[in-house]
């Protein structure tokens, strides 16, 4: 059972470079989320999607873009990476957006921006 | 505004001892509360959730948590710690109509043999 798969697992970028993080889920979930995890700050929501073709801003969206062209995939893009974007990025998905619905997380992508 | 406070960024217990990880929430309306566990180099896994059905919630791996409205708390406990419980634990809150979880800063649990 794959669940939520994130690629790549690790990446090092130079300031100003761009990259895309891929999240794929095989559970037919409608909702998908991108979080970042920083030391001492817990997880913070970057962007989310309530269905194919939709995206919305979360708590810390600046410097990131997302796309949900297919229901099973949610891409997170950094157009011009900055050292402040050094973090661990987690993707999650849930069947619905109700408050009680469980979010399932991927294993994370560790990104360093030099 | 809703938020979650986890007291103690690091907790150490001896194997077989009681585990108590603290979580207090701030919310204007009764929230839905979750505990997630993160093992090294892995994503978060749900331990248990409170959805207003019962104040004492039992989760996986012998963990449970009690919702106390008067104390705005949702502390996580386990009667006897096992070495495999060593991980980081996150408390999270979500309210009806909200699209995301608000996470606490996490508590790293160390189990001493």
């Amino acid at each position: 059972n794959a669940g939520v798969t994130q690629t790549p697992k690790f990446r090092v970028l130079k300031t100003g470079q761009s990259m895309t993080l891929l999240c794929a889920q095989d559970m037919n979930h409608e909702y998908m989320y991108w979080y970042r995890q920083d030391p001492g700050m817990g997880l913070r929501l970057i962007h989310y999607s309530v269905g194919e073709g939709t995206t919305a801003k979360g708590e810390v969206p600046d410097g990131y873009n997302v796309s949900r062209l297919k229901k099973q995939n949610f891409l997170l893009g950094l157009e011009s990476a900055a050292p402040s974007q050094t973090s661990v990025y987690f993707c999650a998905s849930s069947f619905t957006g109700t408050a009680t619905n469980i979010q399932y997380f991927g294993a994370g992508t560790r990104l360093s921006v030099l | 505004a809703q938020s979650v406070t986890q007291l103690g960024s690091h907790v150490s217990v001896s194997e077989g001892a009681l585990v108590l990880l603290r979580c207090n929430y701030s919310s204007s309306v009764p929230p839905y509360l979750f505990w997630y566990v993160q093992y090294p180099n892995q994503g978060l896994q749900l331990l248990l959730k409170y959805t207003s059905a019962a104040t004492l919630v039992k989760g996986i791996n012998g963990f449970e948590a009690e919702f106390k409205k008067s104390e705005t708390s949702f502390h996580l406990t386990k009667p006897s710690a096992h070495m495999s419980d060593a991980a980081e634990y996150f408390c999270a809150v979500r309210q009806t109509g909200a699209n995301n979880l608000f996470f606490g800063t996490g508590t790293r649990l160390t189990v001493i043999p």
Side-chain angles (χ1 to χ4, degrees), chain B residues 68-88:
Chain B
K68 292 187 176 181
K69 185 177 179 180
S70 60
E71 299 177 7
T72 60
S73 69
F74 190 56
H75 301 332
L76 181 70
T77 60
K78 182 174 180 178
S80 177
H82 192 273
M83 296 299 295
S84 61
D85 295 327
E88 187 147 20

Side-chain angles (χ1 to χ4, degrees), chain A residues 24-96:
Chain A
Q25 53 93 5
D26 62 1
M27 297 175 284
N28 201 33
H29 285 172
E30 290 293 335
Y31 283 62
M32 297 186 75
Y33 314 81
W34 275 108
Y35 291 90
R36 60 178 288 172
Q37 182 183 31
D38 299 297
M41 300 190 72
L43 278 75
R44 293 179 292 168
L45 184 68
I46 305 171
H47 286 279
Y48 65 96
S49 168
V50 302
E52 181 178 325
T54 75
T55 64
K57 294 180 179 180
E59 186 182 354
V60 288
D62 294 341
Y64 305 95
N65 56 75
V66 288
S67 64
R68 183 107 180 261
L69 299 179
K70 293 183 179 180
K71 185 177 183 179
Q72 63 268 33
N73 295 337
F74 195 30
L75 279 63
L76 177 70
L78 286 74
E79 290 186 350
S80 179
S84 61
Q85 294 178 304
T86 294
S87 188
V88 181
Y89 292 86
F90 286 99
C91 177
S93 70
S94 63
F95 187 62
T96 71

Side-chain angles (χ1 to χ4, degrees), chain A residues 11-27:
Chain A
R11 186 72 186 269
V12 179
L13 290 178
K14 294 181 179 179
T15 297
Q17 287 185 318
S18 63
M19 77 162 294
T20 300
L21 282 65
L22 171 64
C23 176
Q25 53 93 5
D26 62 1
M27 297 175 284

Side-chain angles (χ1 to χ4, degrees), chain A residues 37 40 45 48 90 97 99-100 106, chain B residues 32 38 43 49 90 94 99-100:
Chain A
Q37 182 183 31
L45 184 68
Y48 65 96
F90 286 99
T100 60
Chain B
Y32 297 102
Q38 184 181 27
K49 65 178 182 179
F90 292 92
R94 185 174 183 178
N99 285 304
N100 61 300

